[in-house]
Amino acid sequence: MDISPSAIESIQTLCVGLALSGLLASAFELFSDRRASFSLLERGGVEAVAALPILAFGAPFIILRNTVRGRRIERRPIPFVMIATIIACGWSLLSGRVALDLAHLIAGGI
């Protein structure tokens, strides 16, 4: 069985996006002593603007964390979990692509 280079690149992009997401959300929790969540946008003002990059790249981790907790605690149905996972993986592909492109740009590869 042969795996195409584009499939390998997509898997790499997905993994980088998920890892970056977890890193940002965990770093936010470490330095602020509270969990990263979408409620950071509700505060408004400078705090909400400062939270945008963290939420833009940390969203897949937040979505997956909330989905697992919702399934375990609230007994959310499996189709809901599947849809949330698909959304988080799609978002992770996008943020991983941006991160890899930025890394290549900084390294002078492009």
Side-chain angles (χ1 to χ4, degrees), residues 8-95:
I8 292 173
E9 185 178 1
S10 294
I11 291 170
Q12 178 188 17
T13 303
L14 178 68
C15 291
V16 166
L18 286 173
L20 178 65
S21 176
L23 177 71
L24 283 175
S26 297
F28 179 83
E29 187 173 340
L30 175 69
F31 292 117
S32 70
D33 292 327
R34 61 182 177 177
R35 288 190 159 193
S37 72
F38 294 111
S39 65
L40 292 171
L41 296 174
E42 294 174 356
R43 297 179 185 265
V46 176
E47 236 178 271
V49 173
L52 280 175
I54 293 169
L55 292 176
F57 288 97
F61 178 81
I62 296 168
I63 292 169
L64 290 173
R65 181 191 66 207
N66 293 345
T67 301
V68 169
R69 289 187 75 234
R71 174 69 181 149
R72 192 179 318 152
I73 295 169
E74 299 172 7
R75 301 285 184 220
R76 291 185 182 157
I78 293 293
F80 176 82
V81 173
M82 289 171 44
I83 291 169
T85 302
I86 290 168
I87 291 169
C89 287
W91 199 324
S92 180
L93 275 169
L94 292 174
S95 62

